[in-house]
Amino acid sequence: MLRRVLVTLLLMSPTLVWAQSDSARPANPTPATPNAAAIDSEPLLAGSERLVSDAQDRLSLAVELSTQALAHFTDQRQLALLSGRNTIAFADLPATLLAPSLYWHSATLPELRALSTEPTRRDDQAPVWQASVFVEAGGNRSARLHYQAEGLDWQSSYQLRWTQGSNEGQWREAIAIRNQTGIDLSGAQFTAVNDFGQRREFGRIPSLQSGMRWRALVGDPQSLTLTPMLVAKALANGPQPGAQQTPVERRLAVDSEQSEAIGFAAGPMSVIHDQGDETTPLAQTQWQPSQRGSALEIAAGMSTAVRVERLQVDYRHQADGIENAWRITLHNTTDQTHTIRLEEVIQGRWQIEEGEADWQRTATGLERRITLAAGERREVGYRIRQQPTPSS
């Protein structure tokens, strides 16, 4: 601080306005080198001294988080230089900084040509990057450093609340960032970029010291229109003697237009059922970015509303294939109407022999939707002929 005051009083030099460059890289900085011996051995001219630039000299610090690469830092600092030769040492850079990624803009400090690391006393100590700069006239100058560093982990997480007896839901998103870079990132501006290249500004984080984890909700809750459904999925291949109880999964469908606006990046998702003053956790699942922009179904736990029992009534090897037939019994155990989707997974080559009018062929097998009145029982079935395999 004293150094800046002396420079200002003696030189009466106004602070230069730093001009941000839109270019991805500067035109002329020399790549960073791991050896500072040449700078250390170079004698200083009269009026020169060593300037250590630390976090107090920062004008701004911006961090860009990415799902595809390491965190990118943009570190802008103000330097108080004397006329003549100055040795600048940049402290408070991450201990995890990747040396090949370090570069800088030279528009406001063209004299800065090369940076190299100063040897450290301990293995866990962050290296100090330094340079020798000769300026004709002293004054306040600014420099902007760019670099990538490890040790900054982040994750999106989500919560979907579904209101009982309605098609209404509320979507919330949170972001968590853990700082293991070795430096204090309090006050830095954070931005995240997802798999689609979309950016999300998280703003300035007031407190994020090294070893600390920060978590906050992002934006306002989003209202969704949900379509509850029941799904019973089973494998139809191979001999399966005896009646089998098929689990029934509850899912919440979201249309493609609304799914476009949710789920910024991959992360855990919890589904909660609101029942008046009570809430019931339904499921813990994982959100994947590939789900955005298309009609999707969110797993919301298991259901006992409809009981599904499957029985294989025929399984015979014949000259032209395997005869495979199923009878499926459904029972609506509630006093409400329910629609259930049966998904029969059939592997290999096959053709349907009976039930074609009721079942729809899909990429994975057969599918059928059935609406059951309160307390209703119903039996459905189908028969297929499968091509024999070497293991059959």
Side-chain angles (χ1 to χ4, degrees), residues 44-113:
L44 300 180
L45 300 180
S48 302
E49 62 179 84
R50 188 172 188 266
L51 165 65
V52 178
S53 174
D54 56 23
Q56 294 182 354
D57 298 318
R58 282 197 181 111
L59 299 176
S60 66
L61 179 62
V63 182
E64 182 178 282
L65 307 170
S66 172
T67 57
Q68 304 292 337
L70 296 177
H72 181 272
F73 294 73
T74 302
D75 188 342
Q76 183 179 350
R77 303 191 183 197
Q78 181 171 271
L79 308 175
L81 302 180
L82 298 176
S83 58
R85 187 172 301 280
N86 296 258
T87 298
I88 307 173
F90 290 95
D92 289 309
L93 295 178
T96 56
L97 186 151
L98 300 183
S101 70
L102 178 62
Y103 68 98
W104 53 94
H105 288 282
S106 58
T108 59
L109 191 59
E111 298 86 354
L112 181 60
R113 295 289 178 177

Side-chain angles (χ1 to χ4, degrees), residues 5 7 40 53 101 103 200-201 278 284 324 330 346 371:
V5 174
V7 169
D40 292 338
S53 174
S101 70
Y103 68 98
R200 176 161 292 178
E201 304 287 342
E278 298 182 0
Q284 289 286 339
N324 190 359
L330 304 100
I346 308 173
T371 299

Side-chain angles (χ1 to χ4, degrees), residues 4-286:
R4 296 196 190 95
V5 174
L6 289 175
V7 169
T8 304
L9 292 178
L10 293 175
L11 301 178
M12 298 297 290
S13 175
T15 301
L16 299 180
V17 177
W18 184 84
Q20 179 178 355
S21 171
D22 293 331
S23 59
R25 274 186 177 270
N28 62 350
T30 303
T33 58
N35 192 350
I39 296 178
D40 292 338
S41 63
E42 190 172 352
L44 300 180
L45 300 180
S48 302
E49 62 179 84
R50 188 172 188 266
L51 165 65
V52 178
S53 174
D54 56 23
Q56 294 182 354
D57 298 318
R58 282 197 181 111
L59 299 176
S60 66
L61 179 62
V63 182
E64 182 178 282
L65 307 170
S66 172
T67 57
Q68 304 292 337
L70 296 177
H72 181 272
F73 294 73
T74 302
D75 188 342
Q76 183 179 350
R77 303 191 183 197
Q78 181 171 271
L79 308 175
L81 302 180
L82 298 176
S83 58
R85 187 172 301 280
N86 296 258
T87 298
I88 307 173
F90 290 95
D92 289 309
L93 295 178
T96 56
L97 186 151
L98 300 183
S101 70
L102 178 62
Y103 68 98
W104 53 94
H105 288 282
S106 58
T108 59
L109 191 59
E111 298 86 354
L112 181 60
R113 295 289 178 177
L115 279 170
S116 57
T117 55
E118 185 180 70
T120 59
R121 295 185 179 90
R122 302 193 314 269
D123 292 339
D124 61 344
Q125 191 175 43
V128 175
W129 290 83
Q130 64 179 20
S132 180
V133 176
F134 182 87
V135 294
E136 294 288 345
N140 291 331
R141 309 284 285 276
S142 66
R144 171 174 283 192
L145 304 179
H146 296 262
Y147 48 85
Q148 288 183 308
E150 299 175 325
L152 201 58
D153 303 323
W154 70 286
Q155 185 180 61
S156 294
S157 59
Y158 309 97
Q159 182 186 86
L160 176 61
R161 304 180 76 96
W162 171 43
T163 304
Q164 182 183 27
S166 76
N167 294 338
E168 298 176 358
Q170 189 179 79
W171 179 275
R172 294 287 341 231
E173 178 180 346
I175 180 75
I177 303 174
R178 185 175 57 174
N179 178 15
Q180 294 181 306
T181 62
I183 62 171
D184 188 354
L185 297 178
S186 300
Q189 293 277 357
F190 280 81
T191 302
V193 181
N194 66 8
D195 290 337
F196 306 99
Q198 297 171 318
R199 302 174 63 85
R200 176 161 292 178
E201 304 287 342
F202 297 121
R204 190 182 303 277
I205 296 180
S207 179
L208 187 56
Q209 300 174 2
S210 183
M212 183 177 176
R213 181 177 180 267
W214 174 86
R215 186 178 185 275
L217 293 172
V218 178
D220 297 324
Q222 295 175 267
S223 296
L224 299 179
T225 301
L226 304 174
T227 303
M229 61 177 58
L230 301 177
V231 178
K233 187 175 182 178
L235 179 65
N237 285 73
Q240 301 180 38
Q244 303 168 8
Q245 190 74 26
T246 303
V248 177
E249 182 181 8
R250 182 190 296 109
R251 298 185 190 176
L252 301 174
V254 183
D255 65 33
S256 57
E257 183 176 350
Q258 289 191 320
S259 71
E260 178 65 28
I262 62 176
F264 181 72
M269 176 175 58
S270 60
V271 182
I272 296 175
H273 195 189
D274 280 333
Q275 300 168 293
D277 295 333
E278 298 182 0
T279 58
T280 304
L282 295 179
Q284 289 286 339
T285 184
Q286 185 76 11

